[in-house]
Amino acid sequence: RARNAGFKTREQSVSSPSAWWVHLPAQSDRATAERKAAELRSLGVTDFFIISDPGPTQNAISLGLYKNEDLAKRMLDQLKTTGVQSARISVRETVSVKLEVSGAARLLSGFSSEANSRAPAASRASCTRR
């Protein structure tokens, strides 16, 4: 919309780690995942669940989601001491988009008001050219 209104735009995507996921990789089918779950129980691991949602992680076994890498590594080390050797850590990332819109100040104020109503949670900053 900004381009169509004659403004100059620049878009930048920024990704950053948001969580570290400890898991067993996706198994070939649900039955195999259930057998892996039984192995975990036999090793004393009870806090997990099998991912059932379709997609690349279907039939993976989730062992926890952590806010920082150190906590995830501690859990992985603890799992290894109980005999779980196939657990992995994957980084979950959050992607944010920065959109810079430039143009005449008198026109931008109206555009900014409309953008506020369409994306009220987005953060905004104004700047002036020198």
Side-chain angles (χ1 to χ4, degrees):
R1 295 184 124 224
R3 275 187 230 122
N4 289 341
F7 298 117
K8 292 181 184 176
T9 62
R10 191 175 81 180
E11 188 175 318
Q12 178 184 16
S13 294
V14 179
S15 61
S16 59
S18 59
W20 285 258
W21 182 37
V22 179
H23 66 284
L24 299 182
Q27 305 301 304
S28 58
D29 55 38
R30 181 69 184 205
T32 305
E34 292 287 354
R35 284 193 295 277
K36 279 286 188 186
E39 288 177 28
L40 288 172
R41 282 186 207 92
S42 74
L43 294 169
V45 179
T46 58
D47 192 12
F48 63 84
F49 68 93
I50 299 172
I51 307 289
S52 58
D53 296 335
T57 60
Q58 185 174 22
N59 298 317
I61 299 176
S62 181
L63 297 158
L65 201 57
Y66 298 88
K67 290 188 180 213
N68 68 58
E69 188 176 17
D70 288 339
L71 291 173
K73 284 181 178 180
R74 270 192 251 157
M75 174 53 116
L76 189 62
D77 290 343
Q78 182 181 354
L79 288 164
K80 288 186 180 195
T81 62
T82 63
V84 179
Q85 299 301 314
S86 58
R88 304 281 180 264
I89 296 175
S90 295
V91 177
R92 298 249 174 125
E93 294 193 338
T94 299
V95 177
S96 59
V97 176
K98 176 182 175 183
L99 177 63
E100 184 178 306
V101 179
S102 57
R106 65 184 181 357
L107 299 174
L108 278 172
S109 65
F111 181 79
S112 180
S113 295
E114 180 186 342
N116 282 342
S117 66
R118 291 182 179 269
S123 59
R124 290 166 180 74
S126 297
C127 60
T128 57
R129 255 192 173 178
R130 295 176 189 204

